Amino acid sequence: DAGVIQSPRHEVTEMGQEVTLRCKPISGHDYLFWYRQTMMRGLELLIYFNNNVPIDDSGMPEDRFSAKMPNASFSTLKIQPSEPRDSAVYFCASSQTTDYTFGSGTRLTVV
Amino acid sequence: SQKIEQNSEALNIQEGKTATLTCNYTNYSPAYLQWYRQDPGRGPVFLLLIRENEKEKRKERLKVTFDTTLKQSLFHITASQPADSATYLCALGVISNFGNEKLTFGTGTRLTIIP
């Protein structure tokens, strides 16, 4: 298995633009998580899905953030409009039981 | 308020010695605790899980202890090597408001093994 695949690896965008981050989880994993990592706040859970259904989105910072999982092999995290304070590394992770497998992350820079 | 604290941001250890990292938490009742390793530019990688009813877990040169009374976990790397240099994250498995378990992470300790 290729692991959790995220794209793009790096994204630089201007404030106000829409940004879409993509994730392909490991086949067979029922859970998918989106985390954000910054120096100040560490890894923060934004939202997670179980069997493609959003379960807990209490970590989504604002209405500008949205996430979808249209099928078991694909999820997106969208920020619209983006702001400089959204700059961070965004990780997707999937799991079947208790331990998570993380992707390599998308480094987002909003200028 | 709920907190997960890892003993220090950075820790330098001489090669061959035992590195000990600490994870303390407050106002959580975790079902389990996990340790992850993160290298620069990469996502965290799972190392070990220890459940609330377990005192100690070992895997090769790694050892984890879990004291639910002290609300603390210790992570040991014996016979440390420069290749062990990385950031180590502890994570608590907690029940969310929606009844599912989810991982909440500490901010990590950056470990450097000095040759």
Side-chain angles (χ1 to χ4, degrees):
Chain A
D1 201 324
V4 176
I5 300 173
Q6 291 188 246
S7 64
R9 285 283 276 140
H10 302 274
E11 177 80 42
V12 180
T13 191
E14 290 186 349
M15 183 174 65
Q17 295 297 307
E18 177 180 297
V19 175
T20 299
L21 312 181
R22 297 172 175 78
C23 175
K24 179 179 175 8
I26 291 175
S27 176
H29 281 192
D30 297 332
Y31 287 88
L32 183 139
F33 306 84
W34 283 100
Y35 280 85
R36 177 171 68 177
Q37 188 173 41
T38 60
M39 290 293 292
M40 290 297 295
R41 301 171 71 93
L43 264 172
E44 301 174 282
L45 178 64
L46 300 177
I47 184 171
Y48 74 93
F49 296 82
N50 178 215
N51 292 321
N52 314 338
V53 176
I55 301 300
D56 184 347
D57 66 354
S58 59
M60 297 285 259
E62 298 169 35
D63 290 345
R64 298 184 296 107
F65 286 70
S66 62
K68 293 182 180 179
M69 192 165 185
N71 57 61
S73 58
F74 184 65
S75 177
T76 59
L77 178 68
K78 186 179 294 187
I79 309 173
Q80 164 66 14
S82 57
E83 297 183 3
R85 59 194 168 119
D86 301 332
S87 297
V89 181
Y90 291 80
F91 287 102
C92 174
S94 68
S95 76
Q96 193 173 30
T97 55
T98 50
D99 57 283
Y100 294 11
T101 303
F102 282 79
S104 295
T106 295
R107 181 174 293 277
L108 173 65
T109 304
V110 184
V111 298
Chain B
S1 64
Q2 294 177 317
K3 274 194 293 189
I4 304 171
E5 293 177 310
Q6 295 192 236
N7 56 328
S8 55
E9 278 191 29
L11 186 64
N12 296 329
I13 299 292
Q14 205 71 37
E15 181 178 4
K17 302 291 186 185
T18 296
T20 298
L21 283 63
T22 305
C23 177
N24 294 291
Y25 59 93
T26 53
N27 294 321
Y28 282 107
S29 296
Y32 54 83
L33 187 146
Q34 301 184 13
W35 284 87
Y36 285 75
R37 170 186 172 137
Q38 187 174 21
D39 291 286
R42 308 297 297 272
V45 174
F46 171 76
L47 296 175
L48 280 168
L49 177 150
I50 186 165
R51 297 193 179 277
E52 58 178 337
N53 60 346
E54 297 175 314
K55 296 291 185 190
E56 185 180 296
K57 216 54 163 319
R58 290 175 187 262
K59 179 182 174 183
E60 298 172 353
R61 295 184 296 112
L62 308 181
K63 185 178 87 171
V64 172
T65 63
F66 192 14
D67 189 327
T68 54
T69 301
L70 289 179
K71 297 187 185 301
Q72 179 182 81
S73 175
L74 300 179
F75 177 79
H76 306 273
I77 305 175
T78 58
S80 59
Q81 305 166 0
D84 295 327
S85 298
T87 295
Y88 291 86
L89 302 162
C90 72
L92 304 184
V94 297
I95 306 295
S96 76
N97 293 336
F98 300 86
N100 297 89
E101 289 177 353
K102 63 180 184 180
L103 277 184
T104 301
F105 283 83
T107 50
T109 296
R110 189 172 66 252
L111 175 67
T112 302
I113 305 300
I114 303 166

